[in-house]
Amino acid sequence: DVKVTQSSRYLVKRTGEKVFLECVQDMDHENMFWYRQDPGLGLRLIYFSYDVKMKEKGDIPEGYSVSREKKERFSLILESASTNQTSMYLCASRGGANVLTFGAGSRLTVL
Amino acid sequence: TQLLEQSPQFLSIQEGENLTVYCNSSSVFSSLQWYRQEPGEGPVLLVTVVTGGEVKKLKRLTFQFGDARKDSSLHITAAQPGDTGLYLCAGDGGNYQLIWGAGTKLIIKP
């Protein structure tokens, strides 16, 4: 069974802290994505990566960066967390026919 | 900019009733996907529709892609409490990115 694993399910951080969200997939997929999900806004793309060390900005990249050093791992970094980054963060990996497999999500609260 | 408008945003009905969720756009999509997301989990793919006019059935769920490939609907017959969740549509507009609807939060009351 294919899997996308987000290691941190719930995080509480303070304003200004650096935050790392890790995502690992076991499907050998080249493409990986980070979305944030807020009620009534659907899924908004932050960054995606189409290969190791390659990244592209999505619709809302401001305040975020990403790292893809290995094919299976895609990390989202908040350099200095702010309260408006409180959200659910979803990682996904893309297989054939543009179908996404999602992780369970990381719910981040910034105080 | 491609947009996908999903309606209704929220729906609460009794077990056994029927319902329809809509996704509409002015853009043409090469395919459209429907996902369901349960609380505390990520979205899971239900179905992909590709051909204009296509109808796919998944037990009590019927998915339809519009003839012009600009809209889609999800119809649930005799809804069950297990159908409760957030339903998301996503259109493939090309460029390897999906265009997402805002979601329909569905609650089925026993």
Side-chain angles (χ1 to χ4, degrees):
Chain A
D1 197 16
V2 295
K3 267 191 177 174
V4 176
T5 303
Q6 294 181 236
S7 52
S8 301
R9 294 295 305 273
Y10 300 94
L11 303 95
V12 179
K13 298 291 182 180
R14 296 204 176 274
T15 300
E17 282 192 271
K18 192 170 186 176
V19 181
F20 291 90
L21 299 179
E22 297 281 325
C23 175
V24 177
Q25 52 102 354
D26 65 359
M27 297 166 282
D28 202 35
H29 288 164
E30 292 182 347
N31 303 135
M32 296 185 73
F33 302 79
W34 275 106
Y35 288 92
R36 67 176 281 176
Q37 182 177 32
D38 300 287
L41 297 180
L43 273 63
R44 292 182 291 168
L45 182 64
I46 304 171
Y47 268 96
F48 68 98
S49 170
Y50 50 90
D51 204 348
V52 175
K53 296 190 185 294
M54 307 301 283
K55 60 186 179 184
E56 290 285 342
K57 292 180 180 180
D59 299 318
I60 53 164
E62 296 79 17
Y64 304 95
S65 61
V66 290
S67 172
R68 184 106 181 261
E69 296 296 319
K70 293 184 177 182
K71 192 174 187 179
E72 67 270 20
R73 190 179 298 270
F74 191 33
S75 303
L76 180 69
I77 303 152
L78 287 67
E79 292 289 343
S80 177
S82 63
T83 55
N84 63 12
Q85 293 179 309
T86 291
S87 187
M88 169 69 94
Y89 290 89
L90 291 167
C91 174
S93 172
R94 180 168 65 200
N98 207 15
V99 172
L100 299 183
T101 300
F102 285 88
S106 298
R107 184 166 292 281
L108 172 67
T109 301
V110 182
L111 302 175
Chain B
T1 304
Q2 293 177 303
L3 293 173
L4 199 51
E5 294 185 2
Q6 190 171 344
S7 62
Q9 282 199 351
F10 180 78
L11 190 57
S12 178
I13 62 173
Q14 292 294 136
E15 179 177 1
E17 293 184 17
N18 302 332
L19 67 109
T20 303
V21 178
Y22 300 93
C23 272
N24 296 298
S25 176
S26 58
S27 303
V28 175
F29 295 106
S30 58
S31 67
L32 196 136
Q33 302 168 12
W34 285 91
Y35 292 77
R36 179 168 67 204
Q37 183 178 18
E38 298 187 16
E41 300 296 329
V44 175
L45 180 73
L46 294 174
V47 77
T48 302
V49 285
V50 179
T51 307
E54 182 176 5
V55 177
K56 280 192 174 179
K57 291 193 174 184
L58 192 65
K59 297 184 181 178
R60 294 174 292 98
L61 279 61
T62 301
F63 304 86
Q64 187 161 5
F65 202 13
D67 291 340
R69 290 185 288 127
K70 294 181 179 180
D71 54 84
S72 182
S73 64
L74 157 61
H75 183 78
I76 301 179
T77 302
Q80 303 293 312
D83 296 327
T84 291
L86 179 69
Y87 289 81
L88 295 157
C89 60
D92 185 350
N95 200 28
Y96 298 106
Q97 290 196 38
L98 294 175
I99 309 300
W100 292 88
T104 295
K105 186 172 183 178
L106 177 63
I107 295 175
I108 310 300
K109 295 176 283 188

